[in-house]
Amino acid sequence: MRLTILGSGSPEAYARRASSGFLVEVGTDRILFDCGGGVVDNLLRAGHLPKDITHLFFTHYHSDHMMDYARLVHAAWDEGAPPLKVFGPRPLAKITNGYFGRDGVLNNDLRARTELPQSQQVWVARGGNLPRPWPAPEVTEITAGFTYQGEGWTLGSANATHAQPILDCLGFSVEADEKKFVYSGDTGINDDITNLSRDADLLLHWCYRGTGEILHPALQAFSPDPGDVADMAQSVGVKRLLLSHFRIHMDDPAAHKMALNDLSERFEGPAAIVEDLDVFDI
């Protein structure tokens, strides 16, 4: 397995970090976890095309985890890719239809591209056939505990504690070749994600709060700091720990130093703060 960081940031507009998106390559499959703003640009910078993505799994539908969804699907469709397999909590089907349905927000674009003679001829010249169908992702709505068997890999899921009851939220694991990768999604420390992380070879965990930072109580309970994440990872035998979702005010050298000190003092394995376009072999 290989992990590429396509977006390590937050909802904040930030040149250093796109919003959340993480690519896991296993054999011939290209599995994308979340698709926030800027992720498609970084997918291209990493040497991949939208049509290369075979599976997309959403942890939840905060905008910074799904803003590039329509762009990814549309771009892959325009490249002639087969329908993308998309999985996520409810209301994934409604969201998808809201983009690509006959009355969806992209209906004018799609009608023009599929019905106008000049657009049809562009499509034919690129090797396409008529009539040209609209994008039609293969949507599966899932809940915590969902599992999936891919070609040489197995996916698991667990409940993330983040934005309920308005948003259902998940974390995911992928196991392949006797290795285990876990992506926490956005979550407080909870038993479900902790158990999912047990014995992970690599845990990628969100970190929305700097070392010692005090947030409003309504937010702090759902936002572990680097030391909290390190303690959890250490308790369940995680071998390597990466932190993501860093906010702008957490990205100065002093904040990084404090976070890395927490990681080194409270977690025995390798640990780091990821950056966009980092690549890790699992």
Side-chain angles (χ1 to χ4, degrees):
M1 285 191 288
R2 174 170 292 176
L3 168 68
T4 302
I5 308 299
L6 298 181
S8 60
S10 71
E12 298 165 320
Y14 189 20
R16 178 172 175 171
R17 300 183 186 274
S19 294
S20 294
F22 308 97
L23 175 65
V24 174
E25 300 174 68
V26 185
T28 59
D29 285 335
R30 303 291 180 266
I31 310 158
L32 181 62
F33 292 96
D34 288 336
C35 194
V39 166
V40 172
D41 287 333
N42 277 344
L43 180 72
L44 299 174
R45 293 186 181 105
H48 300 282
L49 293 173
K51 68 180 181 180
D52 296 335
I53 302 301
T54 57
H55 302 75
L56 170 58
F57 290 88
F58 283 112
T59 59
H60 65 292
Y61 303 117
H62 271 149
S63 61
D64 56 313
H65 290 254
M66 53 81 66
M67 188 63 79
D68 266 13
Y69 175 39
R71 184 182 177 197
L72 177 73
V73 170
H74 192 289
W77 169 74
D78 209 43
E79 293 166 348
L84 178 64
K85 297 179 177 66
V86 187
F87 304 80
R90 61 178 178 85
L92 178 57
K94 182 178 179 181
I95 290 170
T96 303
N97 189 62
Y99 285 129
F100 302 108
R102 288 292 162 178
D103 295 317
V105 296
L106 293 175
N107 82 87
N108 295 306
D109 169 272
L110 296 174
R111 287 190 59 214
R113 293 182 188 279
T114 59
E115 296 176 17
L116 292 175
Q118 61 269 38
S119 295
Q120 291 175 342
Q121 291 311 306
V122 170
W123 177 242
V124 170
R126 288 160 49 190
N129 297 314
L130 298 176
R132 186 182 185 185
W134 283 22
E138 296 179 4
V139 168
T140 303
E141 293 188 346
I142 62 177
T143 57
F146 171 81
T147 61
Y148 182 83
Q149 184 63 56
E151 292 291 331
W153 54 277
T154 302
L155 176 134
S157 62
N159 182 61
T161 310
H162 184 51
Q164 290 86 348
I166 295 175
L167 301 178
D168 291 340
C169 305
L170 301 174
F172 294 107
S173 66
V174 177
E175 296 186 54
D177 297 325
E178 299 183 347
K179 298 294 183 179
K180 181 179 181 181
F181 164 72
V182 174
Y183 168 42
S184 70
D186 292 3
T187 186
I189 303 296
N190 70 34
D191 290 343
D192 294 331
I193 297 297
T194 297
N195 289 330
L196 188 72
S197 302
R198 189 172 302 279
D199 298 323
D201 294 277
L202 193 157
L203 169 61
L204 175 67
H205 203 287
W206 96 307
C207 187
Y208 193 73
R209 181 165 66 95
T211 296
E213 183 179 0
I214 304 301
L215 303 178
H216 187 282
L219 179 58
Q220 180 140 339
F222 299 98
S223 304
D225 72 4
D228 296 329
V229 178
D231 289 343
M232 183 277 280
Q234 182 66 28
S235 74
V236 292
V238 170
K239 298 177 180 64
R240 187 175 193 178
L241 174 60
L242 302 176
L243 298 184
S244 186
H245 216 294
F246 264 45
R247 302 164 69 194
I248 294 173
H249 76 276
M250 296 163 57
D251 251 351
D252 64 76
H256 272 234
K257 181 178 180 179
M258 289 190 295
L260 293 171
N261 283 342
D262 269 359
L263 294 178
S264 64
E265 291 176 0
R266 297 160 72 170
F267 180 73
E268 292 180 359
I273 301 163
V274 300
E275 300 284 345
D276 286 12
L277 303 181
D278 282 349
V279 178
F280 303 91
D281 288 323
I282 305 171

